[in-house]
C-alpha cells in the first residue's frame, strides 16, 4: 500500500501506538489501514453419491479441478457465499448442509470454509470461471488434477468418512501447498 484511501497522502509502515503489529498508517489523517485475511467459502455438492467438480478457467491452476468456492463478499453469510459461488461457477443450485472443514492458509492470508451440500437438480453448466462442470463417481475423481491441497485433502477425507458412515467437522492448517 502506498497511499491513504481516505486522503491520498503517502502512508508509512509502522506499529501504531497500542498495537503489536506493523500497519500502514497515514501520517496526515492518522487512519490505520488494517489488512486482514481473505475468507474463501465453498461446498462439496453431491448428487446420488457423485461429487460436482469444476474445471478452472482462470488462474491460478487454470485447467485443474476444484469444488465450487471463492471469496466471500461483504453483507453475506458463509452459507450464502457458498450458494452464490456454486451458482457463479457451476450454475448449480444447492442446499447447504453442515460446515465440514475450516483450513487456515497463513502463507497467503486466507481461511477456507467448506460445507457439505446437496445438489438440487442436474441443470448445471460452466460459469464464466469454469471450463467444465461434471459429476464424478468417487473412483472417477481426477485426484492428480485437483487444483489445490486445501480442496484435495478435505475432499479425500470427506469421501473416506462418507464410506465409514461418519462425517465429522475438521479444522487444520496448510502452511505451504504441495499440489
Amino acid at each position: 500500500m502506498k497511499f491513504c484511501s481516505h486522503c491520498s497522502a503517502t502512508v508509512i509502515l509502522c506499529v501504531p501506538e497500542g498495537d503489536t503489529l506493523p500497519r500502514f498508517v497515514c501520517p496526515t489523517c492518522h487512519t490505520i489501514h488494517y489488512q486482514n485475511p481473505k475468507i474463501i467459502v465453498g461446498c462439496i455438492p453431491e448428487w446420488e453419491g457423485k461429487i460436482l467438480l469444476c474445471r478452472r478457467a482462470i488462474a491460478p491452476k487454470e485447467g485443474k479441478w476444484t469444488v465450487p468456492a471463492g471469496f466471500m463478499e461483504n453483507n453475506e453469510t458463509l452459507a450464502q457465499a457458498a450458494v452464490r459461488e456454486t451458482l457463479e461457477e457451476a450454475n448449480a443450485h444447492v442446499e447447504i448442509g453442515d460446515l465440514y472443514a475450516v483450513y487456515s492458509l497463513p502463507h497467503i492470508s486466507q481461511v477456507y470454509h467448506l460445507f457439505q451440500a446437496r445438489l438440487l437438480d442436474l441443470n448445471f453448466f460452466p460459469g464464466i470461471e469454469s471450463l467444465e462442470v461434471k459429476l464424478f463417481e468417487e473412483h472417477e475423481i481426477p485426484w492428480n488434477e485437483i487444483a489445490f491441497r486445501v480442496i484435495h485433502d478435505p475432499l479425500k477425507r470427506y469421501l473416506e468418512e462418507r464410506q465409514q458412515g461418519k462425517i465429522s467437522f475438521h479444522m487444520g492448517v496448510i502452511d505451504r501447498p504441495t499440489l
Side-chain angles (χ1 to χ4, degrees):
M1 179 174 221
K2 293 185 183 222
F3 303 102
C4 177
S5 60
H6 293 280
C7 73
S8 301
T10 302
V11 296
I12 58 172
L13 186 63
C14 65
V15 177
E17 185 178 329
D19 205 334
T20 58
L21 298 172
R23 314 282 185 186
F24 289 106
V25 178
C26 178
T28 303
C29 73
H30 308 290
T31 298
I32 300 170
H33 297 277
Y34 294 95
Q35 294 178 313
N36 302 105
K38 297 288 186 183
I39 298 172
I40 312 298
V41 186
C43 65
I44 303 171
E46 286 190 81
W47 178 271
E48 297 179 354
K50 296 177 183 175
I51 304 293
L52 183 73
L53 296 178
C54 305
R55 187 186 296 265
R56 294 178 57 82
I58 59 172
K61 307 285 186 166
E62 183 176 347
K64 301 287 186 176
W65 291 94
T66 187
V67 297
F71 293 104
M72 184 176 181
E73 298 289 348
N74 291 333
N75 303 310
E76 69 183 354
T77 67
L78 288 171
Q80 288 169 336
V83 167
R84 178 186 49 75
E85 284 293 336
T86 304
L87 192 57
E88 287 179 5
E89 294 185 6
N91 289 290
H93 298 277
V94 292
E95 178 182 293
I96 297 299
D98 291 336
L99 183 60
Y100 176 67
V102 174
Y103 280 84
S104 296
L105 285 76
H107 64 285
I108 55 174
S109 300
Q110 293 181 352
V111 181
Y112 271 71
H113 300 76
L114 289 174
F115 286 90
Q116 297 176 56
R118 183 175 66 87
L119 196 56
L120 296 176
D121 58 51
L122 296 176
N123 298 324
F124 56 82
F125 54 94
I128 194 163
E129 295 181 3
S130 300
L131 297 169
E132 182 180 0
V133 181
K134 183 177 175 184
L135 279 172
F136 288 91
E137 295 278 357
E138 185 174 341
H139 68 276
E140 298 173 322
I141 292 175
W143 293 108
N144 292 334
E145 295 295 314
I146 299 296
F148 308 105
R149 184 173 160 208
V150 73
I151 300 304
H152 179 279
D153 293 2
L155 182 57
K156 194 94 155 154
R157 180 180 291 115
Y158 178 81
L159 294 172
E160 289 168 3
E161 290 180 349
R162 188 178 73 173
Q163 281 184 344
Q164 297 166 2
K166 186 180 178 192
I167 296 173
S168 60
F169 174 77
H170 292 272
M171 192 164 65
V173 175
I174 295 179
D175 290 316
R176 291 281 175 208
T178 55
L179 288 176

